Amino acid sequence: MTSEVGTIARGNRPNEVDALMLTTRTGGAYIPPHRLRQMQQSITDNSSEAYQRITWEALKKSINGLINKVNTSNVKMIIPELFGENLIRGRGLYCRSMMKAQTASLPFTPVYAAVTAVVNTKLPAVGALLLTRLVVQFRRAFRRNDKTSCLATTTFIAHLTNQLVAHEILALQILALLLERPTDDSVEIAVGFMREVGAHLANVSPKANNAIYERFRAVLHEGEIDKRIQYMIEVLFQVRKDKYKDNPAVIKELDLVEEEDQITHNISLDDDDLDTEDMLNIFKYDPDYTENEEKYNAIKSEILGDDESEDESGSSGSGESESEEESDEEEELKVVDETNADIIELRRKIYLTVMSSVNFEEACHKLMKLHVPEGHEIELCNMVIECCSQERTYLKYYGLMAERFCKLNRTWVDNFVHCFEEVYNTIHRYETNRLPCLACFPKTIQRTLGLPSTIGQVSVLVR
């Protein structure tokens, strides 16, 4: 094939080279981006086979790229981009990319299942095709004793069951098959599968779930499997006892579909009429390409919403909306947090900063960087006095810290004076062993800054 391309190129026949690039079995050799743009610009007929093949290659790269970069944090941004591609035409590409990505990175299986669950609510054919291919792949891998492939497919099926894309009957059939004639590999796969889907089965089918665990117990008591597998079963029973706290059915970040909106496919493990539709993986010329693209654009607009029409209606009624917004703002109630959660958090930060600093200069520097809100400066003074009172003996560290703040701004002087007066008024509430520190603290500041003599009442009372 390479020599043939070289012969054509030497003959200066670019059209034939382009045709050869586009019609090879694998979709063509690598085409540089600038050459691909030239080819796209040269093709103006949207219904031609060459144009459809180029758009097919672009669709394949786009779907594969989006699936490869999806994760828990960006899943809500990737899903609209996926719907932006023609998933009806490329459902075979979607399923192949999804299965390939999941096999390569098993920890991301919950993310891939969540994406499929959302796609399945709008395009059930995509979810049904993916589940069909997983069931067929599991049966093939089980017959061939392919442990790696079985682990990957069962993990994916487990999370699709958790997302209600697959019915729980399929999960129970897989467990029954794996435990019918237990071997080390089959029991290991069953244990891993049960850890993923057990929380869901315990909710929707408790009797069948109990029967599966009884079978695990029987396998454990027979003692015909390896010690390592026996230990895995014991760990599984502990996971069940802990109510799957480390293996929830669906984590909060990936719970994207309401239960009543989900479409569940009743695909069984022993169905003989499962069609994997492998021809959807390769390019096929579509004589009704333009019409089908328009149909999908209508579906996409229905799923994602027609932004253009919204923009037009928004611009036409902008005057009315502005007046309505102004009236709404006037009627809006002001929400005030009266739980003092922000003050508690501020006091916690101040305490941790004071107790973790090496010297008073570092403490003052860190406390100034906290940006204490205006009106809450007294909280800092109270926390410094509180920390000082909890020491066994008086430390100059706190006096120097208070002195530094008082030299910065007169506000801190007034706040510390107010705090010391409060301490004097409530001195009878303090424990005896805290009084010496409370007496020494104001005297230190009074000597260095010449503060009012009223703050010395605390030390007089202690004496």
Side-chain angles (χ1 to χ4, degrees):
M1 182 64 70
T2 307
S3 60
E4 187 177 352
V5 173
T7 305
I8 295 174
R10 284 192 294 273
N12 294 324
R13 288 179 286 180
N15 292 334
E16 296 183 20
V17 175
D18 295 345
L20 196 60
M21 284 182 173
L22 292 171
T23 55
T24 49
R25 186 173 63 87
T26 59
Y30 170 73
I31 305 174
H34 70 280
R35 183 63 182 277
L36 184 61
R37 285 193 295 270
Q38 291 177 357
M39 293 168 62
Q40 290 172 337
Q41 292 171 359
S42 64
I43 300 172
T44 55
D45 186 6
N46 294 354
S47 61
S48 66
E49 182 175 353
Y51 178 81
Q52 290 187 26
R53 191 178 291 274
I54 288 176
T55 56
W56 174 267
E57 291 298 321
L59 177 65
K60 179 165 66 174
K61 289 179 182 178
S62 180
I63 291 176
N64 193 53
L66 290 171
I67 290 175
N68 284 338
K69 71 179 181 181
V70 69
N71 55 50
T72 308
S73 59
N74 66 5
V75 62
K76 293 182 180 179
M77 295 179 283
I78 295 294
I79 289 174
E81 293 184 37
L82 270 174
F83 279 121
E85 306 295 335
N86 192 338
L87 291 182
I88 293 179
R89 184 190 184 203
R91 61 185 182 275
L93 299 175
Y94 172 87
C95 295
R96 185 175 66 177
S97 295
M98 188 65 77
M99 292 172 67
K100 187 177 179 181
Q102 186 267 339
T103 304
S105 53
L106 292 181
F108 282 87
T109 304
V111 181
Y112 299 135
V115 173
T116 302
V118 177
V119 172
N120 184 66
T121 58
K122 305 299 181 182
L123 304 171
V126 179
L129 179 60
L130 177 61
L131 189 58
T132 300
R133 290 189 177 185
L134 286 170
V135 171
V136 171
Q137 182 172 320
F138 170 74
R139 294 195 306 203
R140 187 184 301 121
F142 185 78
R143 285 195 299 267
R144 295 176 179 175
N145 292 325
D146 187 351
K147 178 182 173 182
T148 305
S149 183
C150 277
L151 278 172
T153 51
T154 52
T155 304
F156 208 166
I157 291 172
H159 285 284
L160 288 177
T161 305
N162 293 337
Q163 292 281 358
L164 303 180
V165 176
H167 199 274
E168 64 268 14
I169 293 295
L170 176 60
L172 295 172
Q173 287 178 330
I174 292 174
L175 287 166
L177 177 64
L178 292 171
L179 297 175
E180 182 181 4
R181 293 177 187 148
T183 62
D184 290 348
D185 288 345
S186 68
V187 175
E188 182 179 353
I189 294 169
V191 168
F193 184 68
M194 198 63 184
R195 290 188 69 160
E196 302 294 344
V197 80
H200 177 68
L201 291 179
N203 290 330
V204 299
S205 185
K207 291 184 178 179
N209 184 61
N210 292 336
I212 295 295
Y213 273 102
E214 287 300 322
R215 180 57 183 154
F216 273 119
R217 186 175 281 108
V219 171
L220 184 62
H221 289 166
E222 288 170 5
E224 296 179 359
I225 56 177
D226 187 66
K227 292 289 184 184
R228 181 178 67 88
I229 309 301
Q230 292 180 18
Y231 177 72
M232 290 179 68
I233 296 177
E234 292 174 358
V235 172
L236 177 63
F237 276 99
Q238 185 60 43
V239 170
R240 182 196 188 192
K241 185 178 180 181
D242 295 337
K243 297 182 179 180
Y244 303 93
K245 64 179 181 180
D246 295 326
N247 299 87
V250 181
I251 63 175
K252 184 178 179 181
E253 293 82 1
L254 299 177
D255 190 7
L256 306 175
V257 181
E258 296 293 336
E259 187 173 344
E260 58 271 12
D261 295 337
Q262 189 55 271
I263 299 172
T264 304
H265 302 285
N266 293 312
I267 295 177
S268 176
L269 193 60
D270 51 4
D271 287 346
D272 296 328
D273 57 345
L274 296 179
D275 184 9
T276 56
E277 300 183 63
D278 292 330
M279 291 303 293
L280 293 175
N281 296 345
I282 59 177
F283 169 75
K284 184 179 179 181
Y285 175 70
D286 183 9
D288 301 323
Y289 173 78
T290 306
E291 182 182 347
N292 291 334
E293 285 293 317
E294 290 175 356
K295 287 181 180 178
Y296 185 78
N297 287 333
I299 295 173
K300 181 176 69 173
S301 299
E302 183 181 349
I303 295 172
L304 301 178
D306 195 350
D307 297 334
E308 294 180 1
S309 61
E310 291 177 3
D311 292 341
E312 290 174 3
S313 61
S315 60
S316 62
S318 59
E320 298 176 3
S321 62
E322 284 176 5
S323 60
E324 289 176 2
E325 285 176 6
E326 289 175 2
S327 61
D328 290 342
E329 285 175 3
E330 292 175 0
E331 296 175 1
E332 235 178 41
L333 295 175
K334 187 177 181 180
V335 179
V336 180
D337 182 12
E338 295 184 353
T339 61
N340 291 331
D342 53 342
I343 296 177
I344 294 171
E345 179 65 17
L346 176 63
R347 289 171 66 89
R348 187 184 71 85
K349 289 181 179 178
I350 294 171
Y351 175 79
L352 292 175
T353 303
V354 170
M355 302 306 291
S356 64
S357 298
V358 177
N359 52 45
F360 79 95
E361 293 176 339
E362 180 187 348
C364 292
H365 179 69
K366 289 182 178 178
L367 290 172
M368 291 303 295
K369 288 177 68 176
L370 284 180
H371 300 296
V372 179
E374 188 176 352
H376 290 78
E377 293 88 353
I378 198 165
E379 297 296 335
L380 188 148
C381 302
N382 280 324
M383 281 307 300
V384 172
I385 296 173
E386 188 72 19
C387 293
C388 177
S389 69
Q390 292 178 1
E391 299 290 347
R392 291 186 178 181
T393 59
Y394 175 69
L395 300 177
K396 282 186 67 178
Y397 169 75
Y398 297 101
L400 294 171
M401 193 189 312
E403 178 187 343
R404 177 62 60 88
F405 273 102
C406 290
K407 287 180 177 179
L408 286 173
N409 195 321
R410 181 69 189 177
T411 306
W412 295 106
V413 177
D414 297 337
N415 284 321
F416 271 109
V417 170
H418 179 73
C419 289
F420 287 132
E421 290 175 353
E422 285 293 322
V423 169
Y424 170 73
N425 293 330
T426 59
I427 197 70
H428 57 281
R429 299 178 185 172
Y430 288 88
E431 298 174 7
T432 307
N433 57 353
R434 297 173 66 179
L435 297 182
C437 295
L438 291 173
C440 296
F441 194 179
K443 277 296 183 182
T444 304
I445 307 177
Q446 189 181 22
R447 282 196 304 268
T448 56
L449 297 177
L451 297 184
S453 58
T454 52
I455 68 169
Q457 291 173 344
V458 178
S459 59
V460 171
L461 182 64
V462 172
R463 293 201 189 99

